Amino acid sequence: MAGSKSVVLAALFANGAIAILKFVGFLLTGSAAMLSETYHSISDTGNQVFLLIGIRYSGRDSDRTHPFGYGKAQFFYSFLVSVFLFGIAGWESLKHGWSELTAAGHGGGHSGSIEFLFISYQPPAWLDPLWVNYSVLLAAFAFETYALVKARAEMRRQMKRNSWSGYREAFRKTSDVTTLTALTEDTIALAGITIALVGLFLEQQTGNPVFDQVSALLIGIMLMGFALALAWENKRLLLGESLPADEGARLREAILGHESVVEIIDFRTVYFGPNEVIVSADIAFDPDLDTELLDEDITEIEAALKSVNSDIKKVYIEPEA
């Protein structure tokens, strides 16, 4: 959990600074892509706040009403991030880009009156809007790269610990949705900045503001797509997904490898928090087994399961006839 928290704090610092930079850039230039990127960074900052709440809440001790603890709080708050923050940011970005495109609005490379909410104002005549946007986006790129390096280091540590082959397998199997959200968010943020930079460059070269406006549309579509993907990943854990099939097979082998075990009648696993798995197994033991030794055998099986997967925190074994 400490690794996840450091990743979130790094992203919170980076995204807060970036949101301010981008909004100032929009106020000075009126760029549609810059406003879209501002929405993006505001959502990213709110994202980190929600994830920190989830980390803090999930650290509470188990009690009568939550006998398995509060680990799923991280799944819930990460789900809120995907639905409300990224969804809203994506929609606002898409809507603004479409509005500018259909209204033939001015992009970041054009001078003239800038409108935001109910305010209309004139930027300073000496200011070059294009270079303001370039400067802001390049600074944002540096901040996001810092956050991405932190998130990537934590994810690679988990990949090494679990012997995952790559990021694709990690995305499919990880239960640490906090680090997963931060890593994916930082990657999407860098992609959004790149799209905005390309839009501004093409506008500069052609004199056509449509490139800036289309880049805002693309950023919005990308954000909304990410919202759906992240929501899907959190849904599987919120609903109580079991360990992947290959992990479950390894645990079954560990049980059947014990000399006193005859058959596995029933076997279940479920995530109750990031890196927190509960295992329940109904096992038929050797009928000639001395009942006084049964407790010792069960203890050995529990130890064997935890040695196979260190995320297992609780094991419940029910002897069956």
Side-chain angles (χ1 to χ4, degrees), residues 260-265 282-287 318-321:
S260 64
V261 174
V262 175
E263 182 185 2
I264 298 176
I265 306 299
D282 295 346
I283 300 174
F285 288 90
D286 185 344
E318 180 70 22
E320 296 285 344

Side-chain angles (χ1 to χ4, degrees), residues 1-4 152-166 169-170 173-177 179 243 247 250 271 273-277 305-313:
M1 187 177 293
S4 298
R152 184 173 178 270
E154 173 61 19
M155 183 56 75
R156 287 188 67 85
R157 184 189 68 79
Q158 294 185 29
M159 289 165 59
K160 183 178 180 180
R161 181 173 70 91
N162 293 284
S163 300
W164 291 331
S165 60
E169 184 178 6
K173 291 184 176 181
T174 186
S175 62
D176 185 1
V177 293
T179 299
L243 285 170
E247 290 290 322
R250 290 172 58 203
Y271 282 106
N275 304 317
E276 294 182 12
V277 177
L305 292 174
K306 291 180 179 179
S307 67
V308 171
N309 190 320
S310 59
D311 288 345
I312 296 175
K313 306 303 179 187

Side-chain angles (χ1 to χ4, degrees), residues 90-158:
W91 171 251
E92 287 299 322
S93 176
L94 182 67
K95 184 175 70 174
H96 183 75
W98 179 256
S99 175
E100 288 287 306
L101 190 63
T102 56
H106 296 294
H110 290 263
S111 59
S113 178
I114 296 174
E115 294 185 3
F116 180 68
L117 297 178
F118 304 106
I119 303 172
S120 179
Y121 58 94
Q122 192 79 18
W126 52 266
L127 193 66
D128 186 341
L130 185 67
W131 289 107
V132 170
N133 286 340
Y134 276 144
S135 299
V136 169
L137 290 174
L138 288 173
F141 196 93
F143 276 114
E144 286 291 1
T145 300
Y146 160 73
L148 179 63
V149 168
K150 294 282 288 185
R152 184 173 178 270
E154 173 61 19
M155 183 56 75
R156 287 188 67 85
R157 184 189 68 79
Q158 294 185 29

Side-chain angles (χ1 to χ4, degrees), residues 104-273:
H106 296 294
H110 290 263
S111 59
S113 178
I114 296 174
E115 294 185 3
F116 180 68
L117 297 178
F118 304 106
I119 303 172
S120 179
Y121 58 94
Q122 192 79 18
W126 52 266
L127 193 66
D128 186 341
L130 185 67
W131 289 107
V132 170
N133 286 340
Y134 276 144
S135 299
V136 169
L137 290 174
L138 288 173
F141 196 93
F143 276 114
E144 286 291 1
T145 300
Y146 160 73
L148 179 63
V149 168
K150 294 282 288 185
R152 184 173 178 270
E154 173 61 19
M155 183 56 75
R156 287 188 67 85
R157 184 189 68 79
Q158 294 185 29
M159 289 165 59
K160 183 178 180 180
R161 181 173 70 91
N162 293 284
S163 300
W164 291 331
S165 60
Y167 287 102
R168 183 176 181 179
E169 184 178 6
F171 191 91
R172 182 168 52 88
K173 291 184 176 181
T174 186
S175 62
D176 185 1
V177 293
T178 300
T179 299
L180 175 66
T181 301
L183 176 67
T184 313
E185 169 222 313
D186 294 335
T187 303
I188 294 296
L190 286 173
I193 293 171
T194 302
I195 291 173
L197 282 169
V198 171
L200 289 172
F201 175 76
L202 292 175
E203 180 186 5
Q204 179 191 28
Q205 296 300 310
T206 63
N208 190 345
V210 72
F211 291 106
D212 178 60
Q213 296 152 6
V214 169
S215 66
L217 278 173
L218 293 176
I219 291 168
I221 293 171
M222 181 178 63
L223 280 170
M224 295 176 76
F226 169 60
L228 292 174
L230 187 60
W232 183 264
E233 286 302 305
N234 281 279
K235 184 215 69 169
R236 65 180 176 85
L237 293 167
L238 278 171
L239 295 180
E241 184 180 61
S242 65
L243 285 170
D246 57 338
E247 290 290 322
R250 290 172 58 203
L251 295 176
R252 285 174 174 271
E253 288 175 4
I255 295 174
L256 293 172
H258 196 279
E259 60 183 4
S260 64
V261 174
V262 175
E263 182 185 2
I264 298 176
I265 306 299
D266 188 35
F267 181 80
R268 301 178 185 181
T269 63
V270 65
Y271 282 106
F272 267 84

Side-chain angles (χ1 to χ4, degrees), residues 39-93:
Y39 287 134
H40 184 175
S41 293
I42 289 174
S43 75
D44 287 352
T45 305
N47 169 8
Q48 311 313 319
V49 173
F50 271 88
L51 293 180
L52 285 173
I53 293 173
I55 289 174
R56 182 176 179 83
Y57 197 73
S58 66
R60 294 174 62 180
D61 295 331
S62 58
D63 53 32
R64 185 188 63 79
T65 57
H66 293 82
F68 294 110
Y70 291 80
K72 283 193 173 184
Q74 289 194 49
F75 303 158
F76 172 73
Y77 283 101
S78 185
F79 184 80
L80 286 185
V81 165
S82 64
V83 173
F84 291 108
L85 293 177
F86 279 93
I88 291 172
W91 171 251
E92 287 299 322
S93 176

